[in-house]
Amino acid sequence: GQSSTQTPETTSDAQVTEATEVASDAATAADEAAATKSIEPTEITFWHYMTGNLEETLTALTDEFNSTNEYGITVTLVNQGYASDLQTKLQASAAADALPDLTQAYNNWLTPYLDKIVHLDDFVANDFDNWDDIVEAYRGECSEFGFVHAVPFNKSTYVLFYNKTLFDELGIEAPKTWADVEADAKIVKDAKGIAFIGYDDSTGAIEATLKQNGENFVDETGALFDTDGGREAFEYLSNLYSNGYARLVGEDGYFSNVISNQNIASYVGSSAGVSYITAEGWELGVAPLPGNKVNAANMAGTNIVMFSQDTNKQLAAWEYLKFLTSTESTSKWAVSTGYLPVRQSAYETAEYKAYMEENICAAACYEQSKDFFYSPTFDASNDIRNSVSPAFEQLVLDKADAQTWFDTILSTINAQY
Amino acid sequence: MDKKSFKGYLYLLPSIIIMICFTLYPLVRAIIMSFLGNYSIINDGYTSIGFENYQALFSDPDFGKSLLNTAIYVICVVPASIILSLLFAVLINSCKKLKALFQTIYFLPYVTSVIAIGIVWRWMFNSNYGLINYVLSIFGIEPIQWLNLPEYAMPALIIFAIWKSMAFNILIFLAGLQTIPEDLYRAARIDSTPRFRVFTRITVPSLAPMIVYSSVIGMIGAFKVYNEVFSLFQGKAGPANSAMTIVYYIYDKFYNSYKYGVAAAGSVVLFLIILALTQIQLRVTGGRKGKN
Amino acid sequence: MDIRIENLTKTYGNLNAVDHMNLCIKDGELVGLLGPSGCGKSTTLFMLSGLTTPTEGKIYFGDKDVTSIPPEDREIGLVFQNYALYPHMTVEDNITFPLINRGMKKAQAREEAFEIAKVVKIDEYMKRRPSELSGGQQQRVAIARALVKKPQVLLLDEPLSNLDAKLRVATREEIRRIQQEVKITTIFVTHDQEEAMSISDRIAVMKTGVLQQYEVPQTMYLNPANSFVANFLGMPEINNIEIDVKDGVITANGIVLRKGVSLADGHYKAGIRPESFFVDDNGAILEVNNIRMTGRDLLIFTKLGNTNVRVLVHSYMQVAVGDKFGVSVRDGHILVFDDNEMLIGRF
Amino acid sequence: MDIRIENLTKTYGNLNAVDHMNLCIKDGELVGLLGPSGCGKSTTLFMLSGLTTPTEGKIYFGDKDVTSIPPEDREIGLVFQNYALYPHMTVEDNITFPLINRGMKKAQAREEAFEIAKVVKIDEYMKRRPSELSGGQQQRVAIARALVKKPQVLLLDEPLSNLDAKLRVATREEIRRIQQEVKITTIFVTHDQEEAMSISDRIAVMKTGVLQQYEVPQTMYLNPANSFVANFLGMPEINNIEIDVKDGVITANGIVLRKGVSLADGHYKAGIRPESFFVDDNGAILEVNNIRMTGRDLLIFTKLGNTNVRVLVHSYMQVAVGDKFGVSVRDGHILVFDDNEMLIGRF
Amino acid sequence: MKNNRKVVNIIAEVLKYVILVAGSVFTILPFIWMISSSLKTPAELVQVPPALFPEVPQWLNYKSAWEAAPFARYLVNTIIVTICTTAGVLVTTVLSAFAFSRLNFPGKKTVFSLFLATLMIPGEMLIITNYETIIKLKWIDSYRAMIVPWISSAFYIYLLTRFFMQVPESLYLAAKVDKCSDFKYMIKIMVPMNKQAIFSIAILNIISSWNAFLWPLLVTNSQEMRVLSNGLVRFQTEAGSSTELIMAASCILVMPIIIIYLFLRKYIIEGVTRSGLKG
Ligand SMILES: Nc1ncnc2c1ncn2[C@@H]1O[C@H](COP(=O)(O)OP(=O)(O)OP(=O)(O)O)[C@@H](O)[C@H]1O
Ligand SMILES: Nc1ncnc2c1ncn2[C@@H]1O[C@H](COP(=O)(O)OP(=O)(O)OP(=O)(O)O)[C@@H](O)[C@H]1O
Ligand SMILES: [Mg+2]
Ligand SMILES: [Mg+2]
């Protein structure tokens, strides 16, 4: 909507002011923590949406914390269904002032209630073991609202899954550049008649493509890709689709199903989804995303946000967060779930190295970890995601040319501010 | 009768209390919300009062599209579902021996989990190996990309929705059929009434209250279609949003874009549309309501 | 169309609602079906119409066995005891319904419906729903609906029960007229014997599912097959008395009723209708215990010895309770029954 | 309980189903309500019961204005013309229902239900559902349900229409007995005049919503207020003839019927009941055109001049079509009406 | 000509069963699919073209599904919530439908329209406000929170009102004359005569409250209070799902309902009689 462009600033200004107040409270707590470090026994609730093996691992870690911490802190895990359910419940709880002490959250969930988040800057400054050890992109993402609002938790990235058997058969390698992609795609297309590549997340695909060409997608001021580099990126995408090198997932829902049935040679998807690929009769390969001018890969997954208003609870919750993000915990977490460690140092542990040895996916992720970028969150960012994807699909279906691609995406984005 | 005139409210009391607390109050709040600019449900803050949300709504082409899609959906699904359900209910009811079996079978979709239903229908609509295309191929029709192409998304959704709403209607109609006095059918047989005429002149008029109910409820439900879209297109609104419906739009605005005011305005518009149409519907059908 | 019923039986649980019934009805005849409430009259009609499947037995329309033919193919008209009108249709629609079912044009159907509605005097209510009619008006709609299609067989289940006397007579005359005009074989259930007597070609009397007698009305009245029929027909009811026959003299409680009859000596059951008595100063002298006016007659309650007896006399006779009067029984009006209650003679 | 009806009116659309009716019923009386089909009988009962709200007028039970009192507080028993039995309840439950509603213990209610069921002879069907009963049996259940609670006011809408003659008489006698025993003020709608005559204390005759006459039965029969009542009562119907009076001589089509009456000369309408004739060789000589047997009587169709006339004679009279016979009219049995059809004298 | 009719009748009869059977196949396909999927391996699930039945039934799926969450506890909660909600719904629905169909009171039409109007707003709009209400009432994490908001439904009230209006007026009148209070009439006449409709409402409500997902999730926080449907999400993540386990859990979820349905159906239908009323 055009009409709503004027006003949001006023609200966010107000939010920022309030947030600052909360921040000063938190600062006191953190100061105290540094000074005295006395925490009363307390109970902390942590809302999450982890299931199955993920939940088991989280529970194990939490049990460990509960039994080993010296303050008598008990963390209670509460599963809140799917991610979207957790999002809804957080939103409702924010409205009802019933937020939990800790929760998993994506940045884009938080915009309506930023002012309820505890600022962690002082905790990080005073009571954290080497914040710089946290993967850089994660740090950036956790402080993108102008303060440290979260610590990273279950992180993953987009990688290229490919049919190694097919690649070997055709004598091609996992593509490293756009040019490789185009070349390989032609070979596959000619030989097998199937598409070469697909993207589970189409908006993410545009963003990554732009980044790989050294351009940016959007920020709170509007689209940023009205440049030659930007046009090039769309040319690349347009070519992929109009030549039949790339395809939409369509009725299959996930590309994991498509590749499982060997109907596509490779696709770009979240590293967390590797377990849903059924490689029967062929071998799965995983590679970093191909780049162009630079390499760039989207990252995904949530962070942990704190809402406790009580100083003691904040301290207690921080103890837990420190525990979860410790090198040891994060590598343990990563090894048993397939998510990525949040600390650089975790990649160096023997445990994780051993894991990477046998897990090609983890290895590929590690290889591109320096190239991670995150999508900025601002008022219109959700709308942009939601409107670009259908536009993307329409463009593919229309076999649109590069110019149309560029114009359509640009106007779709601009309509959201 | 005067002294008892308020007794009716005593009977309604439990319902009224619940309704006020859990439907009317939030409803009123939603209506108010729709007039507040940049309303935030979190802290009840807003920046202006007026029709801003409505302007935003009507200038959004997506909303227009969702209105159109919903209208198409309602027009196709409601009558088709009622006619088919009526047919099946009557057929089931006329079976002597297998009645219970059929009754149970036709009810099963209603208890089956939505996820399962979505998956099965996606399979049925599959362009390569789906049952529907297979059947069409028997008649020499080329495979249709039901779920991949925008132009087939609405038809696929409509077919799915008709099927899905039938169990409920059949249940209601079967219950209704039990209340028709056997004598009417006896008289009709004596009058040598052909089967179809028995259906149109005896069964349908006798079921009129249930048919009106089903069409009103069906229409309300159809206007609020969301789950069907969600489960058929795996959480999306069809290829390139081609099956975007009003509630899908509202939901998206509310839970994903945090545009509470716009979502509320959408709900109010939806509410008014349904209200107007049900009133017309009740007027039209109510005219020929005969008492016993 | 002739109707032949053979061994017709309908069993509900262990009750024989109709019990091995045999009956032949000639083409175009009107048969009155009489019997106490619950004796199986409606059940018989329902089986004839095909709505109820017989437990046993056969039904022939003409030469054709229709036992397993569904009602819609039997070409019958049926007036239900409870009318069974279509509540959602107007009177007109109710009546035209069977016609339109046979493919008649709407306009013509409407005309015919109007004709028949005039016959049963409901033509002013054509646009009303049954619920807006009085009981008798509803019943007339039901009659109109059955008559309008001029069926081959007409089955009427107490079609006049809710009509007043005048309308009743007028309507039954009309039914009779149409029936004779179109030669519709008709079965007419009624609880009103006078009605049955006056329009039936023959009367069938049933008792707990069993056909008792099938006869021309007057014969049945004068010559009942058994004590049940004698008792059932006639109002006020027949007087049941015990008689002794000795040397050709019939006495009841010692009072001589008839002399010179040729009947074996013994003790018998007998029936004398109230109107079979006539005032006769030479007859037995009885005392008036009670009097009841029944329209044009006086019913005198009295005692024959110690048996209560009702005597019917014309209402212009001046009597008062306590008066004595002499009566005799008309010739041939003492009905004598055997131990099985079968008629053995009229004296 | 006395019942007083004042100006009672019910209007449906522009039809006055009941039209400014005034009526007083004494405590414990049984009133027969008669009238042609659709004249407003059921409507009257419905208003008395409180189920229909009058458009105008008042109803008093005793001294109390009950016009706006709901039916459940009126202490009435009502037999509906269409029975209105509860289809999902057994006969027993149907009958005990009103008792249990008044807080009676189940066991006792059952006992009382059984008593009353025996009276109307449905005690063997106590466990059946209404749909498993014959029409007459259903009707008897309805009667039992109304009687069992021994109401203050009993309203019966054609309660016996589906019963055979014997049961009808027996049942009406029972109703009469209970009514008199408990002193229930009763209104009894029937289309059977003989029934009305024989058990009513008084009879009310209605026509298109208007009360015509309210009288003791015999008086009404002999002394009808107007031509409508005269025509309505009596079966076979009264003969309507035109008479001329000249110098105290009544002639019909030139045939002298009576001499020496004190009535102004002129042309009048008159009524003579078929049974008011008696065979009299000195009377007018008429020719038998047709004969119909109606149970115990013979109805002779003949002509008085060119007016069709029915004459009722005892069935033992031997006549055949074409025979001639002489008749006179009994004294006081020529009913003469004025131009407004009101009775002006009996001669 | 009559013979023709007989032939037509036979053809109609055959056609009827053909249609019914075809419809049945079509109708239970998802159900069968659900069962068969629950017994498949992950590979069989995505196999092309899909097989209707698994080669070797994977009964272990059920075990895995059952063990993935404290389903026993969930089951108890689900039963409690379903029974209470359904009982509540039946009570309020019968009362309200009776008031709307048989009683006269000022404003009846308006109130009825208002009830109907509540159906016209998408429930998604109401959830957050209702959640706030529950928090304010301090009902969070209790059975009350899951039950009370759902014990009245305009949807069913409207339905039952329709059915109640079908009962001949003359029975109401007869009952009034029999000194039957309105309440008693409702219990003794209306309810038994509309058993079938009430049964339908019960079963519809049982299903919806049995399957309720989002609301119970919102208003509860502890495992002890969660319901069966909440357990179903345990097999799905953002990146994909274990369809076979979801299907197994779905089967576990719906089986009790089907049993209840069959049981209630038999019990209730047996009591239903057609009304043998005059006129
Ligand atoms: N609901 C109604 N709407 C319109 N007219 C009605 C309604 N109910 C009855 N009437 C009319 O009112 C008149 C009186 O009806 P009522 O039922 O009182 O007659 P009745 O004397 O009982 O007749 P019957 O002997 O045939 O039962 C009839 O002409 C009938 O058509
Ligand atoms: N569906 C049924 N189930 C059990 N018994 C029944 C059923 N229908 C009728 N009966 C019984 O069969 C007998 C005959 O019933 P039917 O209706 O033929 O009597 P009817 O002669 O028409 O009596 P009425 O003059 O009272 O209408 C009755 O005793 C009745 O109770
Ligand atoms: Mg009968
Ligand atoms: Mg009446």
Side-chain angles (χ1 to χ4, degrees), chain C residues 5 8 18 21 33 40-48 206:
Chain C
I5 296 173
L8 197 65
V18 174
M21 186 176 195
L33 188 54
K41 305 182 293 293
S42 298
T43 309
T44 307
L45 288 206
F46 266 51
M47 285 191 285
L48 281 168
M206 291 179 74

Side-chain angles (χ1 to χ4, degrees), chain C residues 101-116:
Chain C
N101 284 341
R102 312 173 153 206
M104 190 183 281
K105 288 266 151 46
K106 246 203 177 130
Q108 200 197 335
R110 228 178 253 163
E111 224 165 83
E112 303 218 350
F114 187 71
E115 284 309 308
I116 202 81

Side-chain angles (χ1 to χ4, degrees), chain C residues 36-37 81 136 140 158 161-164 173 191 218 235 275 292-293 296-297 312 314 316 330, chain D residues 36-37 81 140 158 161-164 169 173 191 218 235 275 292-293 296-297 312 314 316 330:
Chain C
S37 171
Q81 194 166 7
R140 283 177 275 159
E158 315 218 352
S161 62
N162 273 298
L163 304 185
D164 58 280
E173 300 294 340
H191 55 267
Q218 215 147 337
M235 191 54 16
E275 73 268 27
R292 179 169 301 167
M293 165 93 185
R296 57 187 183 257
D297 295 305
L312 199 70
H314 261 203
Y316 58 90
R330 288 183 227 292
Chain D
S37 172
Q81 194 166 5
R140 285 177 274 160
E158 315 218 350
S161 61
N162 273 298
L163 304 186
D164 58 282
V169 172
E173 299 294 339
H191 55 267
Q218 214 148 338
M235 190 54 15
E275 72 269 26
R292 179 166 304 165
M293 163 95 185
R296 59 188 183 256
D297 295 306
L312 199 70
H314 260 203
Y316 58 91
R330 286 184 229 294

Side-chain angles (χ1 to χ4, degrees), chain A residues 55 79-80 82 89 106, chain E residues 218 221 226 234 236 238:
Chain A
E55 186 175 19
N79 176 294
Q80 300 289 19
Y82 298 126
K89 183 148 181 179
Y106 284 103
Chain E
L218 270 181
N221 280 324
R226 289 274 156 89
R234 310 216 148 219
Q236 195 156 13
E238 289 159 287

Side-chain angles (χ1 to χ4, degrees), chain A residues 87-107:
Chain A
Q87 180 193 6
T88 305
K89 183 148 181 179
L90 282 172
Q91 213 177 336
S93 300
D97 242 337
L99 286 163
D101 300 317
L102 294 173
T103 185
Q104 273 183 298
Y106 284 103
N107 280 4

Side-chain angles (χ1 to χ4, degrees), chain B residues 111-128:
Chain B
V111 299
T112 314
S113 97
V114 181
I115 302 168
I117 291 177
I119 293 177
V120 175
W121 275 87
R122 260 177 271 147
W123 168 59
M124 306 240 287
F125 279 124
N126 192 290
S127 52
N128 300 318

Side-chain angles (χ1 to χ4, degrees), chain A residues 277-294:
Chain A
I277 301 170
T278 327
E280 278 190 7
W282 57 279
E283 192 190 338
L284 177 68
V286 187
L289 298 192
N292 195 30
K293 291 180 184 157
V294 292

